Amino acid sequence: RKEVEQDPGPFNVPEGATVAFNCTYSNSASQSFFWYRQDCRKEPKLLMSVYSSGNEDGRFTAQLNRASQYISLLIRDSKLSDSATYLCVVNMEGSYIPTFGRGTSLIVHP
Amino acid sequence: ETGVTQSPTHLIKTRGQQVTLRCSSQSGHNTVSWYQQALGQGPQFIFQYYREEENGRGNFPPRFSGLQFPNYSSELNVNALELDDSALYLCASSFVDYTEAFFGQGTRLTVV
């Protein structure tokens, strides 16, 4: 089983839709979690950190479920500009070496 | 812009050759991590440098080596290039606790 798993998609949604991605991790000692966004042929950019209590930034909401070992990203009111690959990143406790998932592709169409 | 720059942006090499990729970190950051990203995959961790010492290494053979300089910039060296080394190579600048990492634009390496 891979350390960090994501459904590669693509998720194809119309503008204005709400879409959610999950990311599962295998190591229960995982300590910190992030979502990155990567546009085609560009570098990854931090979208948001994921806190135990969950956090929200505008249309984006990230949540952590430690019992089931997954994190989620919810995007409300999707925009065309949200089309990208969303990478899940997990750090294990005591390690500063992050593990990336393979990413989930989102395509928002008119 | 993140302030992390990589050079060159594109490179074509022949199998068996050696290559050096460069990365300048964001001002104030003391840690540089290198990743290999194949098409359709997530970035795979190669190694990390903190204060000029290797601070962790992923599952890559010894022909992948690196350096970090006193100004925290870094190099990735790959010897005896193989066709499977063709990928986007990313460096990320951060503090050692990786609270937030900033990536350079990457070097796209093609081995023929």
Side-chain angles (χ1 to χ4, degrees):
Chain A
R1 183 182 172 188
K2 289 188 176 179
E3 289 184 63
V4 179
E5 293 206 60
Q6 294 183 255
D7 179 347
F11 285 62
N12 228 305
V13 303
E15 272 186 288
T18 295
V19 62
F21 314 131
N22 282 347
C23 165
T24 58
Y25 58 94
S26 60
N27 193 322
S28 59
S30 298
Q31 191 70 14
S32 52
F33 309 87
F34 308 89
W35 282 103
Y36 277 74
R37 170 194 169 128
Q38 186 172 27
D39 293 298
C40 187
R41 303 184 76 82
K42 299 282 191 179
E43 74 274 19
K45 294 183 179 178
L46 180 67
L47 181 64
M48 56 200 308
S49 303
V50 186
Y51 305 122
S52 295
S53 55
N55 47 305
E56 188 173 311
D57 183 3
R59 299 182 293 109
F60 298 83
T61 301
Q63 294 201 312
L64 167 63
N65 185 317
R66 285 195 184 274
S68 300
Q69 293 184 204
Y70 73 87
I71 65 172
S72 63
L73 178 67
L74 180 79
I75 305 175
R76 289 181 298 278
D77 188 23
S78 299
K79 311 291 185 191
L80 296 177
S81 58
D82 293 334
S83 297
T85 296
Y86 291 84
L87 297 160
C88 161
V89 182
V90 175
N91 272 13
M92 284 183 286
E93 184 177 9
S95 168
Y96 299 132
I97 310 300
T99 302
F100 281 75
R102 64 173 295 181
T104 296
S105 174
L106 171 66
I107 301 170
V108 181
H109 57 82
Chain B
E1 293 299 322
T2 65
V4 181
T5 57
Q6 291 186 243
S7 62
T9 54
H10 295 83
L11 200 54
I12 300 175
K13 287 285 192 178
T14 303
R15 190 171 48 181
Q17 284 189 311
Q18 178 267 342
V19 68
T20 297
L21 310 182
R22 295 179 175 83
C23 172
S24 67
S25 60
Q26 178 155 303
S27 178
H29 284 171
N30 54 19
T31 302
V32 173
S33 304
W34 285 92
Y35 297 84
Q36 180 194 68
Q37 187 174 25
L39 202 60
Q41 301 296 319
Q44 297 296 307
F45 175 75
I46 303 174
F47 43 57
Q48 182 184 85
Y49 278 84
Y50 169 61
R51 292 185 175 177
E52 302 177 58
E53 299 284 334
E54 189 178 287
N55 190 42
R57 188 178 182 94
N59 190 25
F60 279 80
R63 59 190 185 84
F64 285 78
S65 63
L67 282 174
Q68 187 180 32
F69 301 100
N71 66 355
Y72 302 129
S73 66
S74 178
E75 283 183 357
L76 164 66
N77 299 291
V78 187
N79 293 323
L81 284 166
E82 300 177 0
L83 297 180
D84 284 349
D85 295 334
S86 296
L88 179 68
Y89 287 84
L90 295 159
C91 81
S93 164
S94 67
F95 295 108
V96 70
D97 63 358
Y98 203 86
T99 48
E100 183 173 358
F102 294 95
F103 283 83
Q105 82 279 18
T107 294
R108 191 163 298 279
L109 173 65
T110 303
V111 182
V112 298

